Amino acid sequence: ANDYRPMWESLGLDLEAHDQLLQVIPPAFGEVYMQQKNRPAEMEYFDFVISEIHGLRIQELQEHKARGGKVVGAFCIFVPEEIVRAAGGICVGLCSGAEIGTAQAEKVLPRNICPLIKSFMGFKLGHVCPYFESCDMVVGETTCDGKKKAFEILNDYVPVHMMETPQMKREKDKALWRSEVRDFVTEMEQFTGNNVTYESLKRAIQDVNGKRKVLARLAELRKNIPAPISGKDSLLIEQIAMYDDVDRFTGQTAKLCDELEERVRTGAGVHEPGALRIIVSGTPMAVPNWKVPHIIESSGAVIVAEELCTGLRYFENTVAEDGHDLEQQVDALAKRYLDIDCACFTPNAARTDKLVQLAEEYKADGIIHCSLAFCDPYLVEANRVEKVLKEHNIPLLRIETDYGQEDSGQLKTRIEAFFEML
Ligand code: BJ8
């Protein structure tokens, strides 16, 4: 293996704390992932990406920076990565899926706050994430209150550009969001020193659409019985989509889909015949947060779809490619992004309607609504989800959890009881 320590040191990482992080992720990955049966051979690439999680990709980012390129971090799928790409930058999703640097984070944040927010502050203050340390800028958004206010604090440590995401989807909200997307073009031009042209944006839109389409193809394959791939593997791919090289990722995922098509043709699946089919819905599950999917799939069920931002919400819509000039491209981007049905919007019936539709399309036996603790938007919206699913006789289990492992046993008991009822 390569020695990445000099690179990590030059990035200003706290090597000791970073070692601790690396002591957690690979063993967790081994336990959660490598012991699955019937994994597709093409998962090898994604396993490799994880084994190099703080290595090769970081090296690529550093090489990009050495050529004068910028790296831009994001915490929300509302950040239009096409624009970063069109300006010659690389956009990386900053995962924040682990409990780390909690003590440092609690110096600037309240104790009772969403673990995702605490995690990103802990990663930054603890200097443990080489992606974060590679970022020249972070793009924040005004989605939920906790994140919105935490970005003010984060701005003390790394430049943050804020985008105002509206809370409703009326015409005036659409106009506001469209102006935010337009301003982001100018911001990226100034920040990178590169013009965003019709041509560069057209290519970026096509590239990112390509990534979204291949993920949609993977999702489509999971509608088959038996499912040709586990939910855990699918989630891993959806997590990696947030930071891997776009073209390489698209190519590798296409290869995997070819293999899955073959499985579907021969009727090969990843689970026992008759396994329960489950949809998970709720707050994003960032690397290395595999806790609930692991419990679900080690209790004999298979996850067939993720109604999550690390899932369908990220790739279900593409950007129209027929814009004739930059302004029309901005219109198309603004429209595509405002179609995301995050619980930060009110009302948000599109999400509950979609869940009903997904349950039917994916022939799901039940839905597990999984929210991070203290996440008001999703925890409160769970009530609307419950109401609508009840009207359609779709069984639902509601879970609230964090990044700790203390509740694993209790969650397993509840999930198994839910499965017995189905
Ligand atoms: S589009 S879901 S990625 S905002 S879990 S920090 S909402 S308190 S992450 Fe999200 Fe964008 Fe919406 Fe998706 Fe706040 Fe809730 Fe924490 Fe959250």
Side-chain angles (χ1 to χ4, degrees):
N2 289 330
D3 180 13
Y4 294 118
R5 292 180 79 85
M7 176 174 77
W8 293 333
E9 203 156 11
S10 73
L11 278 169
L13 289 195
D14 177 340
L15 289 184
E16 216 172 291
H18 183 249
D19 281 347
Q20 284 168 12
L21 180 65
L22 289 191
Q23 272 163 24
V24 179
I25 298 181
F29 186 74
E31 190 191 316
V32 174
Y33 276 92
M34 304 315 277
Q35 291 174 13
Q36 296 180 97
K37 294 195 193 100
N38 305 328
R39 291 184 85 210
E42 296 291 349
M43 281 308 293
E44 191 185 347
Y45 169 72
F46 303 96
D47 292 344
F48 171 72
V49 171
I50 290 292
S51 73
E52 283 286 335
I53 189 162
H54 286 180
L56 263 187
R57 184 63 180 142
I58 298 298
Q59 201 166 27
E60 289 176 354
L61 297 183
Q62 294 311 312
E63 287 161 7
H64 168 76
K65 285 162 72 99
R67 292 190 296 267
K70 299 286 188 204
V71 176
V72 174
F75 287 103
C76 174
I77 61 164
F78 260 98
V79 176
E81 57 187 278
E82 292 87 346
I83 295 173
V84 179
R85 194 172 168 84
I90 294 181
C91 186
V92 289
L94 295 170
C95 49
S96 312
E99 210 172 18
I100 204 115
T102 307
Q104 278 125 310
E106 285 181 359
K107 283 192 188 136
V108 296
L109 292 172
R111 282 184 56 117
N112 290 342
I113 194 167
C114 157
L116 194 151
I117 300 172
K118 202 181 272 189
S119 170
F120 81 60
M121 206 59 91
F123 270 94
K124 185 66 203 171
L125 298 185
H127 302 285
V128 285
C129 175
Y131 290 93
F132 220 147
E133 300 311 308
S134 299
C135 285
D136 301 293
M137 175 195 269
V138 165
V139 184
E141 8 66 41
T142 59
T143 46
C144 69
D145 289 350
K147 265 207 286 187
K148 176 170 70 193
K149 299 304 289 180
F151 286 128
E152 291 174 25
I153 306 172
L154 188 66
N155 193 41
D156 291 347
Y157 305 94
V158 56
V160 176
H161 170 80
M162 287 298 287
M163 294 186 80
E164 184 169 356
T165 45
Q167 314 271 296
M168 296 177 78
K169 297 186 180 180
R170 302 159 303 183
E171 286 310 313
K172 56 187 168 186
D173 303 305
K174 290 179 186 163
L176 165 74
W177 175 241
R178 200 264 177 213
S179 74
E180 286 294 294
V181 175
R182 186 65 186 86
D183 287 352
F184 189 53
V185 173
T186 311
E187 174 71 24
M188 279 298 110
E189 289 184 321
Q190 285 167 354
F191 186 64
T192 61
N194 299 324
N195 284 335
V196 172
T197 64
Y198 169 74
E199 284 304 328
S200 72
L201 191 51
K202 186 181 167 98
R203 217 170 318 121
I205 289 173
Q206 286 169 345
D207 294 344
V208 179
N209 273 348
K211 169 162 70 162
R212 298 194 206 276
K213 281 181 200 158
V214 80
L215 285 164
R217 183 180 161 204
L218 171 64
E220 200 58 37
L221 285 159
R222 295 167 71 196
K223 291 181 179 171
N224 288 286
I225 301 178
I229 184 169
S230 71
K232 282 194 290 186
D233 279 335
S234 307
L235 175 63
L236 186 72
I237 295 165
E238 289 154 350
Q239 290 170 333
I240 289 173
M242 306 283 167
Y243 68 91
D244 198 10
D245 175 80
V246 176
D247 294 336
R248 180 176 58 213
F249 174 87
T250 305
Q252 292 290 343
T253 309
K255 272 201 204 165
L256 171 81
C257 288
D258 292 343
E259 182 184 356
L260 299 186
E261 263 166 21
E262 191 49 37
R263 283 188 162 201
V264 169
R265 249 193 302 277
T266 58
V270 277
H271 50 79
E272 305 294 323
L276 291 170
R277 297 168 64 83
I278 299 297
I279 292 173
V280 290
S281 172
T283 48
M285 293 178 183
V287 178
N289 178 15
W290 306 303
K291 181 170 75 175
V292 172
H294 182 50
I295 296 173
I296 294 172
E297 294 201 325
S298 52
S299 305
V302 60
I303 298 168
V304 289
E306 297 77 30
E307 195 276 314
L308 306 174
C309 289
T310 46
L312 282 160
R313 260 182 249 136
Y314 177 67
F315 58 78
E316 59 192 345
N317 300 312
T318 51
V319 178
E321 292 181 15
D322 56 358
H324 293 306
D325 57 29
L326 192 94
E327 297 309 320
Q328 289 188 1
Q329 290 171 319
V330 170
D331 290 341
L333 283 163
K335 181 179 179 315
R336 185 266 157 201
Y337 279 87
L338 208 59
D339 276 341
I340 298 170
D341 39 21
C342 170
C344 294
F345 287 92
T346 187
N348 196 30
R351 176 167 171 240
T352 42
D353 292 349
K354 185 175 69 190
L355 276 170
V356 173
Q357 190 194 330
L358 290 175
E360 181 173 332
E361 281 177 13
Y362 285 80
K363 301 165 203 83
D365 297 293
I367 294 181
I368 297 188
H369 190 277
C370 184
S371 174
L372 285 168
F374 307 110
C375 172
D376 288 342
Y378 283 87
L379 287 168
V380 177
E381 192 164 281
N383 172 281
R384 301 293 87 183
V385 170
E386 186 162 51
K387 180 171 181 269
V388 172
L389 293 186
K390 200 174 260 168
E391 285 162 10
H392 290 83
N393 291 319
I394 301 167
L396 171 75
L397 175 69
R398 287 167 60 167
I399 283 175
E400 177 180 352
T401 186
D402 59 17
Y403 294 156
Q405 298 299 324
E406 297 77 21
D407 61 353
S408 296
Q410 195 207 355
L411 286 176
K412 191 166 172 57
T413 309
R414 288 187 59 208
I415 287 171
E416 284 174 353
F418 178 61
F419 289 168
E420 263 166 43
M421 213 188 70
L422 297 180

